[in-house]
Amino acid sequence: MKELMVDLRSDTVTKPSEAMRKAMHDAEVGDDVYREDPTVNRLQERAAEIFGREAALFVPSGTMGNQTALKVHTRPGQEVICEERCHIYNYEMGMLAAFSGLVPRTIHAEDGILTWNLIAPHIRKRNDHRARTGLIELENTSNLAGGSVYPLATLNEIADNAHAAGLPVHLDGARIFNAGVAVGKPVAEITRKFDSVMFCLSKGLGAPVGSMLVGSKEFIEEALIARKMLGGGMRQAGILAAAGLIALEENPKRLHIDHANARFLAQELAQIPGIKIDPAKVESNILFFDVTGTGLTAQEVSKRLAAQGVLANPTSGQLIRMVTHLDVDRAGCERALQVLREVVSPRVAVAS
Ligand code: TLP
């Protein structure tokens, strides 16, 4: 039964490969709070190089990377402009308020893709009554908007205008390598104008733990302090960085497979009676579909799928999310579809 499990809940569920486990075993380590872990240092140098930046910092999670960046860029009482479905606001435990004293100024954008025209009216300069804007934050790919991908021109236009207004721009690039594959451009190019970028090693790239922050030397020096405040100063973290290095070097080049599997799932899902999805909107490795037409709630569908070894999370009463990754192949996708067809067929719905 176990080997038949198809886990589409998230790309966070990937397990470290044999090569990663071996590299972890063999990793040269030191105390990273003293900056003496050679493997962490190597990972940070490689990340900075790949993104064309001065420096990088290894952090235990994407959440810590984002919250560290927010802390460095802002002062308490300021507003952070972000899209209403973004991770920093919805899934980071209110830490933008708790840790940095920020107020989110959320904006709704079609498919989660903000534009300068949407942002500009919300920017507040110094004012005797209202909170000042401190930062603009974008998410690429946009997770909760279905893995949507920013056009490069939109990213550049937002960053240029933000800078002209004296505002820094942070990128939650948890899945920035997926975005790069989707637009066919190197990550250095699509993140060039951001003041800081967080990206995850532990999602589609398959590392067991870890994310990175990249930016200027000055930004990373400040980020080190905020990371320590959060308890993120790690010691012999080279054990983790060793797996991260393999993730970073090897796995970006296979992400197109996950995108093709997501498109395949979407096209087949669209054929199932009662399921609603627009396959044209699936640009990377995340997809959402609406089960309202099946007469079942998303929770019921998810429970029935799980009973047959297919895991996919409901994100509301109507929507289920599926995320493709390196531990799910085409056969796994086919199996997930077959189980779903059975689960939502009218005969099964009546029998329950
Ligand atoms: N996303 C997780 C959940 O928290 C929703 C997932 O399964 O997709 N930014 C983005 C865009 C993310 O999707 C995530 C994780 C993070 C940041 C946080 O990364 P971690 O989980 O490492 O703190």
Side-chain angles (χ1 to χ4, degrees):
M1 183 66 202
K2 196 151 182 279
E3 55 277 13
L4 288 178
M5 189 78 93
V6 181
D7 194 343
L8 293 159
R9 287 172 301 170
S10 182
D11 45 10
T12 60
V13 302
T14 50
K15 307 257 169 61
S17 63
E18 278 311 309
M20 284 181 188
R21 288 173 189 270
K22 165 125 184 28
M24 293 171 83
H25 177 271
D26 296 344
E28 233 190 301
V29 296
D31 189 326
D32 183 49
V33 173
Y34 292 102
R35 308 188 190 195
E36 285 172 4
D37 188 301
T39 312
V40 171
N41 290 341
R42 200 143 45 84
L43 173 63
Q44 292 177 164
E45 279 155 26
R46 275 301 285 146
E49 201 171 62
I50 289 168
F51 282 77
R53 297 303 178 113
E54 285 176 358
L57 184 67
F58 186 45
V59 288
S61 68
T63 300
M64 192 183 289
N66 280 334
Q67 295 302 327
T68 294
L70 298 193
K71 181 78 174 172
V72 172
H73 287 306
T74 61
R75 292 216 313 264
Q78 291 185 327
E79 288 191 350
V80 53
I81 292 180
C82 48
E83 208 278 330
E84 69 180 13
R85 283 161 283 184
C86 69
H87 199 276
I88 58 158
Y89 171 53
N90 292 287
Y91 288 89
E92 299 191 5
M93 314 297 291
M95 270 298 266
L96 58 81
F99 183 50
S100 298
L102 296 172
V103 182
R105 173 64 57 186
T106 60
I107 302 174
H108 175 80
E110 179 83 16
D111 299 323
I113 303 298
L114 285 168
T115 60
W116 180 250
N117 280 344
L118 289 170
I119 292 170
H122 297 279
I123 290 177
R124 289 192 223 300
K125 303 260 165 73
R126 194 199 173 287
N127 183 296
D128 284 342
H129 305 280
R130 305 181 70 166
R132 204 194 289 203
T133 307
L135 176 72
I136 294 170
E137 189 264 1
L138 305 184
E139 188 175 305
N140 193 20
T141 67
S142 174
N143 180 352
L144 269 289
S148 52
V149 181
Y150 271 87
L152 180 54
T154 308
L155 294 172
N156 288 345
E157 191 196 13
I158 293 173
D160 284 341
N161 282 292
H163 292 152
L167 292 170
V169 194
H170 171 68
L171 178 69
D172 177 345
R175 299 183 177 82
I176 196 61
F177 285 93
N178 295 87
V181 165
V183 297
K185 294 196 190 307
V187 289
E189 188 179 337
I190 62 175
T191 61
R192 189 165 59 91
K193 290 183 184 254
F194 287 84
D195 298 274
S196 55
V197 182
M198 185 284 291
F199 72 93
C200 293
L201 299 163
S202 65
K203 298 197 167 57
L205 303 188
V209 179
S211 295
M212 307 296 301
L213 264 177
V214 299
S216 67
K217 253 196 194 113
E218 195 188 345
F219 168 80
I220 293 296
E221 282 304 310
E222 292 302 312
L224 262 156
I225 292 170
R227 183 187 71 170
K228 194 69 167 62
M229 290 170 83
L230 289 167
M234 297 181 284
R235 303 297 178 172
Q236 285 70 38
I239 296 269
L240 301 174
L245 269 164
I246 293 179
L248 186 59
E249 303 292 359
E250 299 302 324
N251 288 340
K253 53 180 173 256
R254 59 153 306 286
L255 290 175
H256 64 280
I257 300 170
D258 301 340
H259 293 196
N261 281 336
R263 275 196 305 276
F264 168 71
L265 278 172
Q267 279 151 7
E268 295 296 315
L269 284 165
Q271 310 296 319
I272 301 177
I275 302 259
K276 220 166 88 188
I277 181 169
D278 180 357
K281 297 236 162 173
V282 177
E283 296 180 87
S284 61
N285 69 327
I286 300 178
L287 57 94
F288 287 80
F289 57 95
D290 189 318
V291 299
T292 312
T294 67
L296 298 170
T297 65
Q299 284 73 14
E300 283 165 340
V301 172
S302 169
K303 223 167 115 191
R304 291 180 187 201
L305 288 173
Q308 295 195 58
V310 174
L311 304 182
N313 282 337
T315 56
S316 70
Q318 297 81 39
L319 292 176
I320 292 182
R321 182 181 79 153
M322 285 183 169
V323 186
T324 55
H325 53 78
L326 53 73
D327 288 344
V328 175
D329 59 11
R330 184 57 65 96
C333 295
E334 276 164 1
R335 190 173 125 66
L337 287 162
Q338 190 46 39
V339 171
L340 185 65
R341 284 185 199 105
E342 287 161 21
V343 156
V344 301
S345 80
R347 182 179 49 77
V348 177
V350 170
S352 69

